[in-house]
Amino acid sequence: MHKLNNNIGRLLLFLLLICACFSGCKKSRDVKAEIKAQLEIDKGIITDYLAKNNIDAKVVDSAGVSTGVYYIVDNPGTGNDVLTSSTKITVGFTGTLLTTGADFISTDDLHPSFILGQTIRGWQLGIAASGVNTGGSLRLFVPSHYAYGPYAQPSLGLPANAVLIFNIKFYNITN
């Protein structure tokens, strides 16, 4: 009888381990497909906004592929500044959540400096494509993938997958 209980205990332990193994298995996520799908949603949000507000903006292409980042050069500025990832930009800007129109950040009278390659990817793509110079101003429409992606930014009041607008004035551009 003792041997039978021992065998049943081993069988139950074996079944428990099998169940634990299968319960730990998850379907793998196709992250690339999720990013692509969200980017298409964001592009639709931006193009609908532009059309609804009769705004003519240019899209940034990367190797012939639309990024979904749109820009408008409100003032080209003066000079012939070269923009690279190591360019230092001194700017004033306001960030707005496109879906609500609520400002989430504004530099007001402050003019912070950034290395372009250390900013969000939407800034890197849009600023470089715009050709804006010192004294110029620019509006960027940035899909979530090129900003903060699927990560909410509670300190800024931004939800996950936030589509953003930036109004940027360039006070100085140096290499």
Side-chain angles (χ1 to χ4, degrees):
M1 183 70 143
H2 179 54
K3 193 172 190 178
L4 180 62
N5 285 339
N6 199 13
N7 285 340
I8 291 175
R10 286 183 182 175
L11 180 61
L12 288 175
L13 180 61
F14 177 74
L15 290 174
L16 181 62
L17 288 174
I18 294 291
C19 290
C21 287
F22 282 116
S23 68
C25 295
K26 292 182 182 178
K27 289 185 179 180
S28 63
R29 291 178 43 197
D30 187 350
V31 175
K32 286 184 180 182
E34 290 175 16
I35 290 170
K36 187 175 180 180
Q38 185 61 50
L39 186 55
E40 289 305 313
I41 292 167
D42 293 352
K43 284 179 182 180
I45 291 169
I46 292 171
T47 56
D48 289 350
Y49 177 88
L50 296 173
K52 179 181 171 188
N53 292 286
N54 200 28
I55 298 172
D56 185 25
K58 294 180 182 177
V59 67
V60 177
D61 284 345
S62 177
V65 176
S66 169
T67 62
V69 175
Y70 286 80
Y71 69 92
I72 300 167
V73 176
D74 294 317
N75 176 356
T78 59
N80 196 12
D81 296 310
V82 176
L83 298 164
T84 68
S85 62
S86 61
T87 299
K88 182 178 179 182
I89 56 173
T90 302
V91 296
F93 66 94
T94 300
T96 305
L97 182 58
L98 184 140
T99 53
T100 65
D103 290 346
F104 65 91
I105 192 168
S106 181
T107 59
D108 296 321
D109 293 330
L110 299 174
H111 303 137
S113 294
F114 304 100
I115 302 299
L116 186 56
Q118 296 175 345
T119 62
I120 61 171
R121 189 76 177 131
W123 276 39
Q124 295 172 36
L125 293 168
I127 291 170
S130 73
V132 73
N133 295 290
T134 299
S137 59
L138 171 70
R139 277 185 283 169
L140 291 177
F141 300 85
V142 181
S144 62
H145 176 66
Y146 295 109
Y148 303 105
Y151 309 103
Q153 300 297 311
S155 64
L156 296 174
L158 293 176
N161 296 312
V163 179
L164 309 174
I165 302 171
F166 290 96
N167 289 292
I168 307 168
K169 171 131 176 85
F170 294 82
Y171 291 98
N172 195 19
I173 298 173
T174 55
N175 284 305

